[in-house]
Amino acid sequence: MTHYPIPAKTIRIENIVVNSRFIATIGRADTVQEAKAFIQAVRDEMPDASHHVYAFKVGYGGSITEGMTDDGEPSGTSGPPVLAVLRGADIGNVVIVVTRYFGGTKLGTGGLVRAYGGAAKDAVAALPTELKIEKCAIGITVAYTYYDRLKILLDKHHAEIDDEEFTADVTVYAHVPIDQLDSLTDTLQEPV
């Protein structure tokens, strides 16, 4: 899959369930290390919370790495429902932390499943997404006379120019969407 939805930004929503506050923070993580850093940042921001339940899904389609924890809540009552929401959402590279401030009333296992799952659902529903487009890096060297034509061709194939070197010839370094690479290569090989 070369295109898939990912979080466009980090957002936070809050739910109150029987005096307990459930604060869901959801955002983007392109790697497991980024997911762990996101989780730690939320923990550091709210160190006095009772629990920081998290789940993440890095990748999309058939290539996904997942993780989750109940963080001290009864086993299976918080992490799995949050991860289930992420699995059901058509979003890749996503991490969520549902922070709980205990309100003095125990919710029971069913209540915890509903509270954590509900906070995750609300966060996913409110999350703005954008399309991730997989790209590959290329470098193309042309004579100066072809420089303007090359830039037009790269723009036509949705390439993003990263750098240019002007020596005896011009070398343009860019990132091209993978699904545009064959077409760009074919066009570059056409006689002028």
Side-chain angles (χ1 to χ4, degrees):
M1 176 80 51
T2 59
H3 300 69
Y4 56 90
I6 58 173
K9 64 179 185 175
T10 298
I11 65 158
R12 180 171 283 164
I13 61 107
E14 182 175 332
N15 294 341
I16 305 291
V17 179
V18 193
N19 298 324
S20 283
R21 289 174 56 208
F22 291 85
I23 303 165
T25 308
I26 187 168
R28 179 176 172 180
D30 293 331
T31 65
V32 172
Q33 291 75 20
E34 287 181 19
K36 289 179 179 178
F38 183 99
I39 294 159
Q40 190 58 52
V42 173
R43 285 180 187 273
D44 292 345
E45 187 180 345
M46 296 180 263
D48 55 336
S50 308
H51 304 279
H52 294 285
V53 171
Y54 69 78
F56 61 84
K57 184 171 82 168
V58 175
Y60 188 81
S63 178
I64 295 176
T65 302
E66 295 176 332
M68 59 104 193
T69 184
D70 287 314
D71 193 39
E73 292 283 24
S75 181
T77 61
S78 51
V82 172
L83 181 58
V85 170
L86 292 187
R87 285 178 175 162
D90 185 33
I91 305 170
N93 297 357
V94 61
V95 58
I96 184 169
V97 180
V98 180
T99 302
R100 179 184 185 193
Y101 283 91
F102 182 62
T105 303
K106 293 187 175 188
L107 301 178
T109 56
L112 288 172
V113 168
R114 285 188 297 279
Y116 280 104
K121 283 179 191 172
D122 291 348
V124 167
L127 182 68
T129 61
E130 62 188 8
L131 206 56
K132 177 179 174 82
I133 300 171
E134 292 187 47
K135 298 179 180 183
C136 65
I138 62 168
I140 302 170
T141 302
V142 296
Y144 278 88
T145 54
Y146 297 110
Y147 173 64
D148 288 334
R149 290 170 63 184
L150 175 61
K151 286 183 72 170
I152 291 168
L153 184 62
L154 289 172
D155 184 58
K156 180 181 173 188
H157 288 86
H158 310 288
E160 295 173 6
I161 295 175
D162 299 319
D163 196 13
E164 300 170 328
E165 287 180 6
F166 299 92
T167 55
D169 292 317
V170 180
T171 302
V172 177
Y173 299 96
H175 277 85
V176 180
I178 289 176
D179 62 355
Q180 293 286 317
L181 189 59
D182 289 342
S183 174
L184 174 62
T185 303
D186 292 346
T187 305
L188 286 169
Q189 292 175 352
E190 291 175 2
V192 189

